[in-house]
Amino acid sequence: MSGDHSHNEDQVMLKVFYNHKDKYKEREHKHKDHKKDKEREKSKYGNSDHKDSSDKKHRDKEKEKMKHKDGSTDKYKEKHKEKRKEEKSLDERIKKEKENGFASPPYMKSEPEHDFYHSPKHEKTLKRERDDDNEVQNWSSVFAVISLYVFVKDFKSKKTKHKKEEVTDGKKKAKKEPEEKWKWWEEERYTDGVKWKFLEHKGPVFAPPYEPIPSNVKFYYDGKHMKLSPGAEEVATFFAKMLEHEYTTKDIFRKNFFKDWRKEMTSEERAKITDLKKCDFTEMSEYFKAQSEARKSMSKEDKQKIKEENERILQEYGFCIMDNHKERIANFRIEPPGLFRGRGDHPKMGMLKRRIRPEDIIINCSKDSKVPEPPRGTKWKEVRHDNKVTWLVSWTENIQGSIKYIMLNPSSRIKGEKDWQKYETARRLKKCVDHIRAQYRDDWKSKEMRIRQRAVALYFIDKLALRAGNEKEEGETADTVGCCSLRVEHIKLYPENEGQEYVVEFDFLGKDSIRYYNKVPVEKRVFKNLQLFMENKEPDDDLFDRLNTSILNKHLQELMDGLTAKVFRTYNASITLQQQLKELTTAEDNIPAKILSYNRANRAVAILCNHQRAPPKTFEKSMQNLQSKIDAKRDQLADAKRELKSAKADAKVRKDEKSKKAVESKKKAVQRVEEQLMKLEVQATDREENKQIALGTSKLNYLDPRISVAWCKKWGIPVEKIYNKTQREKFAWAIDMADDDYEF
DNA sequence: GAAAACACTTAGTATTACTCAA
DNA sequence: TTGAGTAATACTAAGTGTTTTC
């Protein structure tokens, strides 16, 4: 967790911040020019009392808008209006038909029958269920619908493919493109807090039971061999497996581990093993290393077998049926026992994460679904049917006492809808951000301390994309902060620094104990306020002592429906991407150069959001490799040019067709090599700039995918160059709906 | 109204799978 | 065919923000 920025990186960072600041100024300017707009906005949002009825009406209206149509998608929705009309009437028909509360489908698509996926497994289940009179009706109707309309994730299964082809052949060939994906974004959403109407799954996959190590792999205490009881041995292996890791050198880790380990020992063991330093795990560690080596060098067939088994488990447990669609589950495996690996200086690192048993598990599914079977001889803690939540399985973890969940994959409807909604909220912020900014600037002058604090904090959240900063229980987690929980010790004020006025230096550990370091010039008022907030305080006192996240969010909620601190991060990230893309993309550039521009825009966002990574272990080496490739390519280019030159000379003398052709082909060769060289150089630049910056987090969580999709469409870049397969699945909605002129 | 519980998103790292040059 | 390097995926910790409880 270094987080130490080099000078260079600081500059990059500052550059982006300055950019940001300039843009902000620009916006302010615009703001002045549009006083009328401002006035309108003001009346729209009010400025003191937000509880007046017109305001409420407005908010309700906004809410309504969000529910049914999102500004951006007007055009898009229009496209599908017709279709939906059709579907809706069907919907109603079906609703009337099924009123017994089970998985009645929202509607049925008028898809050709041959387009369905009928897994052999379903057939089986269906047959089994037919034996049960009570359920026959439910099941047959459910499956009738499912068969008509199941979202098919993977058609690769041979049987299915075969079946499908048969049917397709029997009917018209028109529907050749088979992978018809379910476009949930073309459908109505639930608006009443209901997350689903039907949910069925097979429950979690438990961690494999402990396999004792062979008796020749020994554990030594104080130099003497000691056979451990199975319970103590298992925990010992957890430590042994981590022996190479830095964790095991840390005092807290060792202390916590030892304490928990002793709890698992028999009383004899406990009496004997009193000092971790005297424990010798090396044989165990070697054994596991050898095992993983063996796994690597397994025969192809064996590897294939394992792969097939994993695939089987995935097929059985990795999917659920939610509202007539087969959806992928994200984490269907229960976390195996082990030693807790908290990040940063976590006071609980090294503690034993205990094994989760069926008795710890709460299953969530619909009443009319087939409840998953617990492993033989066990039972679930509870089975509930709560369709106001999205999780399938939950358990309480023993380190922090928090609840863990099994939920759906990001490609699922339930996650996608939420994600889409998130960006729509951010776009609504775009519409009123000028007003909000004007307001908090005004609040810097407030007579009330709490309001000034709120306004300065909000300024940081907006300008620097800081996280909200909830309070944390002391001693339970690593000491990290966000905006509202900043302490006096985390900032330094410089009336003047390196030629700039009113500079604030931030230095603190944020989420995941990643260091945030930044020097920013701020407005005089902010600076003066900060001086005031810090007066007569100790370094470990709260900077904003009259503020917390719930006060801040309550305030934001009044400014805009659905507005919270984190919306600013989404908004600023997405708007920055859009602006940077506009700024950096050059029409004349070729595709690799354009992609470099994209990555740079993405990088600007990652820097803004402080998304860091440890430089890859192989970084230097891979850079060297790339450099030697570049050198080789340069040599090749020189050769090609030489050859072209001589060919030209040759052609001048001979003046025949053959030599002219030779010149042409040499020219082309030069061009080709030049292109290759450029590609490599671009790659090197990209990689170098990316050394400590993680692009993935912002790409996945902060950047409205429609911006990227639109950019791809506009410049003719294949979307595969920007999003890999998983990302394309997650953003299928955006890829489908964004046109090249999409504006965030 | 504060604390605790809950639900869900965001985050970096470890592991695995894939790719491509030798 | 192999294995090094890289990309993708899996994993799970650590946040945010809402709801429930006391």
Side-chain angles (χ1 to χ4, degrees):
Chain A
M1 271 8 29
S2 78
D4 241 35
H5 300 281
S6 70
H7 181 66
N8 246 353
E9 277 147 5
D10 281 344
Q11 281 187 330
V12 174
M13 202 174 232
L14 283 175
K15 213 168 80 190
V16 173
F17 286 128
Y18 297 151
N19 258 344
H20 197 63
K21 188 185 143 206
D22 290 342
K23 272 170 247 148
Y24 182 27
K25 266 189 187 161
E26 216 173 272
R27 277 185 231 126
E28 269 186 316
H29 182 68
K30 239 195 214 159
H31 185 74
K32 274 179 199 157
D33 286 348
H34 292 84
K35 263 194 173 167
K36 269 186 196 165
D37 285 358
K38 189 177 159 190
E39 226 76 289
R40 228 176 292 140
E41 283 251 287
K42 225 174 185 178
S43 69
K44 219 169 165 184
Y45 294 97
N47 47 5
S48 54
D49 184 5
H50 298 277
K51 279 161 200 133
D52 70 296
S53 64
S54 69
D55 184 46
K56 191 182 178 308
K57 249 185 231 162
H58 167 74
R59 268 184 279 137
D60 288 348
K61 229 180 178 174
E62 283 279 318
K63 233 184 215 169
E64 203 55 28
K65 246 195 241 165
M66 184 61 205
K67 274 181 201 166
H68 297 299
K69 84 179 172 195
D70 308 292
S72 69
T73 50
D74 280 358
K75 199 165 56 172
Y76 167 79
K77 291 261 166 164
E78 195 64 30
K79 265 201 290 200
H80 301 283
K81 222 168 161 183
E82 289 291 298
K83 206 169 172 187
R84 274 185 289 124
K85 235 188 227 166
E86 237 179 76
E87 288 162 349
K88 217 176 170 186
S89 63
L90 243 170
D91 182 12
E92 254 137 43
R93 226 165 55 214
I94 292 165
K95 255 187 205 157
K96 270 179 204 158
E97 276 167 24
K98 302 172 187 283
E99 280 172 354
N100 44 3
F102 64 84
S104 52
Y107 54 80
M108 246 190 294
K109 259 185 169 174
S110 50
E111 277 173 338
E113 211 172 319
H114 63 257
D115 215 15
F116 69 79
Y117 168 75
H118 204 119
S119 93
K121 229 172 284 149
H122 289 155
E123 252 170 24
K124 234 201 232 156
T125 328
L126 189 56
K127 271 180 202 153
R128 202 175 29 220
E129 291 306 323
R130 283 208 175 111
D131 297 335
D132 186 340
D133 262 346
N134 266 343
E135 287 193 58
V136 166
Q137 220 189 341
N138 288 5
W139 276 101
S140 49
S141 16
V142 168
F143 277 106
V145 177
I146 290 165
S147 5
L148 270 174
Y149 193 12
V150 159
F151 170 51
V152 184
K153 182 88 185 182
D154 198 351
F155 266 91
K156 279 169 208 155
S157 138
K158 282 156 235 147
K159 272 184 196 167
T160 320
K161 212 175 177 182
H162 179 63
K163 209 171 205 168
K164 200 176 155 60
E165 275 161 11
E166 265 179 16
V167 187
T168 316
D169 285 345
K171 297 201 177 172
K172 52 182 172 187
K173 292 236 164 143
K175 265 237 160 146
K176 247 191 175 172
E177 304 302 281
E179 300 223 4
E180 177 84 5
K181 296 264 163 91
W182 173 35
K183 297 186 175 181
W184 51 258
W185 50 93
E186 292 177 4
E187 298 180 6
E188 297 281 322
R189 302 182 211 162
Y190 293 118
T191 51
D192 45 1
V194 166
K195 303 290 166 62
W196 45 262
K197 292 217 168 110
F198 180 81
L199 173 61
E200 177 172 291
H201 57 91
K202 297 272 299 222
V205 172
F206 287 92
Y210 175 62
E211 255 182 60
I213 50 173
S215 55
N216 63 331
V217 180
K218 290 172 185 142
F219 165 76
Y220 300 92
Y221 185 72
D222 209 3
K224 284 183 236 58
H225 169 227
M226 194 174 160
K227 175 76 189 158
L228 294 171
S229 64
E233 186 190 85
E234 180 177 10
V235 179
T237 64
F238 298 154
F239 194 83
K241 280 178 182 165
M242 292 179 72
L243 217 50
E244 308 269 277
H245 204 288
E246 205 199 329
Y247 270 122
T248 57
T249 64
K250 294 185 178 174
D251 276 351
I252 311 170
F253 189 93
R254 296 175 66 89
K255 198 185 111 247
N256 286 332
F257 160 72
F258 197 55
K259 192 174 159 204
D260 280 3
W261 185 31
R262 282 174 57 82
K263 286 183 205 156
E264 301 302 311
M265 293 176 188
T266 61
S267 47
E268 292 83 49
E269 286 166 338
R270 199 157 33 240
K272 207 167 167 191
I273 302 174
T274 53
D275 185 359
L276 181 56
K277 279 200 262 18
K278 292 182 180 166
C279 296
D280 181 356
F281 300 96
T282 43
E283 271 192 25
M284 287 178 159
S285 171
E286 291 303 321
Y287 168 71
F288 290 121
K289 260 191 271 175
Q291 265 203 330
S292 88
E293 279 309 310
R295 224 174 301 130
K296 270 186 216 154
S297 54
M298 253 186 320
S299 74
K300 242 185 181 169
E301 293 76 45
D302 288 348
K303 275 185 183 168
Q304 187 57 28
K305 259 185 206 153
I306 291 176
K307 211 176 161 187
E308 275 165 17
E309 174 60 9
N310 279 335
E311 180 60 25
R312 191 190 63 75
I313 294 174
L314 172 70
Q315 289 305 325
E316 181 168 0
Y317 293 95
F319 296 86
C320 72
I321 291 175
M322 183 177 277
D323 290 351
N324 306 326
H325 295 274
K326 189 178 174 189
E327 300 250 46
R328 177 91 186 258
I329 299 168
N331 54 326
F332 55 90
R333 285 173 202 273
I334 299 280
E335 294 172 20
L339 304 181
F340 177 69
R341 301 158 88 117
R343 316 232 171 105
D345 276 334
H346 201 296
K348 296 192 171 182
M349 66 167 78
M351 281 174 65
L352 175 64
K353 225 174 88 159
R354 45 160 260 275
R355 181 178 290 273
I356 304 300
R357 305 150 305 151
E359 291 75 11
D360 303 313
I361 295 289
I362 302 175
I363 296 286
N364 193 31
C365 58
S366 51
K367 275 187 187 147
D368 55 327
S369 74
K370 185 171 180 300
V371 175
E373 287 287 329
R376 189 191 293 272
T378 67
K379 48 185 187 201
W380 305 124
K381 180 182 181 184
E382 185 192 335
V383 175
R384 67 170 75 155
H385 311 289
D386 182 356
N387 73 350
K388 298 273 169 78
V389 297
T390 67
W391 53 268
L392 280 51
V393 172
S394 77
W395 71 93
T396 301
E397 152 266 3
N398 68 300
I399 305 288
Q400 329 256 15
S402 64
I403 309 169
K404 300 258 186 167
Y405 303 94
I406 290 183
M407 292 185 188
L408 296 193
N409 202 50
S411 64
S412 61
R413 183 215 98 219
I414 215 158
K415 292 290 183 190
E417 259 176 16
K418 200 78 186 295
D419 207 34
W420 179 15
Q421 200 179 0
K422 171 181 79 187
Y423 292 113
E424 288 311 314
T425 308
R427 295 175 82 208
R428 281 192 293 125
L429 172 58
K430 184 189 177 188
K431 288 183 195 150
C432 61
V433 75
D434 287 341
H435 168 255
I436 290 172
R437 283 174 175 152
Q439 163 132 31
Y440 70 57
R441 299 172 66 82
D442 222 35
D443 286 347
W444 293 340
K445 298 177 266 180
S446 169
K447 279 188 196 119
E448 283 188 78
M449 178 68 113
R450 59 174 190 100
I451 291 180
R452 284 204 308 271
Q453 289 195 356
R454 195 180 69 192
V456 170
L458 185 51
Y459 169 71
F460 286 160
I461 284 171
D462 183 22
K463 184 185 172 73
L464 306 176
L466 299 189
R467 294 188 186 83
N470 280 324
E471 285 130 300
K472 305 169 68 180
E473 221 175 315
E474 220 172 308
E476 293 291 299
T477 57
D479 176 22
T480 62
V481 297
C483 186
C484 294
S485 49
L486 279 170
R487 297 191 297 262
V488 170
E489 60 196 329
H490 295 132
I491 66 167
K492 272 190 197 147
L493 303 180
Y494 301 95
E496 219 212 285
N497 185 277
E498 292 164 12
Q500 289 176 312
E501 278 190 312
Y502 308 122
V503 172
V504 183
E505 182 183 52
F506 292 83
D507 192 352
F508 61 88
L509 297 182
K511 182 176 179 180
D512 293 310
S513 293
I514 296 289
R515 185 179 177 205
Y516 182 92
Y517 178 81
N518 194 15
K519 263 185 187 174
V520 226
V522 299
E523 309 218 10
K524 186 176 173 185
R525 277 227 161 77
V526 171
F527 196 85
K528 296 286 170 197
N529 266 317
L530 287 170
Q531 282 179 325
L532 203 70
F533 301 161
M534 290 164 83
E535 243 169 43
N536 302 319
K537 279 190 192 167
E538 297 296 317
D540 62 349
D541 285 339
D542 284 338
L543 176 64
F544 303 115
D545 53 304
R546 311 273 172 95
L547 183 71
N548 61 39
T549 51
S550 85
I551 295 174
L552 178 65
N553 281 333
K554 232 172 242 159
H555 171 65
L556 293 175
Q557 183 60 41
E558 284 169 5
L559 296 177
M560 185 193 105
D561 182 40
L563 186 61
T564 61
K566 88 188 188 93
V567 178
F568 281 89
R569 243 167 108 82
T570 312
Y571 161 71
N572 278 311
S574 286
I575 202 77
T576 302
L577 178 77
Q578 182 166 288
Q579 284 165 348
Q580 291 285 303
L581 282 177
K582 267 187 196 151
E583 230 166 85
L584 299 174
T585 315
T586 314
E588 296 77 44
D589 275 351
N590 58 13
I591 291 186
K594 285 201 177 94
I595 291 170
L596 176 63
S597 301
Y598 179 90
N599 286 341
R600 282 183 162 157
N602 191 168
R603 201 141 44 229
V605 176
I607 290 168
L608 176 70
C609 294
N610 201 39
H611 291 143
Q612 299 189 31
R613 63 166 183 176
K617 282 182 194 108
T618 54
F619 186 82
E620 291 308 327
K621 206 175 168 194
S622 85
M623 241 13 233
Q624 272 171 16
N625 286 348
L626 196 54
Q627 194 51 51
S628 47
K629 264 192 196 170
I630 289 174
D631 293 343
K633 202 45 89 179
R634 286 213 175 106
D635 292 346
Q636 200 187 332
L637 181 62
D639 288 345
K641 278 183 173 166
R642 246 196 314 278
E643 280 177 36
L644 173 63
K645 207 175 171 185
S646 75
K648 272 182 178 167
D650 198 39
K652 219 175 185 177
V653 180
R654 292 212 206 171
K655 288 181 175 149
D656 62 347
E657 270 309 302
K658 198 178 166 191
S659 55
K660 262 188 201 165
K661 265 190 184 157
V663 169
E664 280 311 305
S665 81
K666 295 286 175 201
K667 250 188 199 165
K668 271 188 189 147
V670 167
Q671 259 175 13
R672 202 167 49 236
V673 177
E674 266 175 344
E675 242 166 58
Q676 288 167 342
L677 175 63
M678 162 159 179
K679 215 169 165 181
L680 286 172
E681 282 173 334
V682 160
Q683 205 183 338
T685 314
D686 207 17
R687 193 176 297 176
E688 185 64 52
E689 289 178 359
N690 235 18
K691 186 176 177 183
Q692 294 199 295
I693 297 165
L695 299 186
T697 306
S698 50
K699 202 184 226 183
L700 240 43
N701 300 302
Y702 289 103
L703 301 176
D704 183 344
R706 290 166 295 183
I707 299 170
S708 302
V709 172
W711 181 84
C712 284
K713 288 187 177 163
K714 182 172 178 189
W715 300 108
I717 312 283
V719 79
E720 296 78 32
K721 300 272 183 194
I722 299 300
Y723 291 134
N724 67 29
K725 185 167 156 273
T726 319
Q727 292 164 342
R728 290 198 300 278
E729 275 165 11
K730 169 169 177 171
F731 297 134
W733 58 274
I735 293 170
D736 185 54
M737 69 169 74
D739 291 327
D740 60 356
D741 59 349
Y742 173 78
E743 278 277 328
F744 174 74

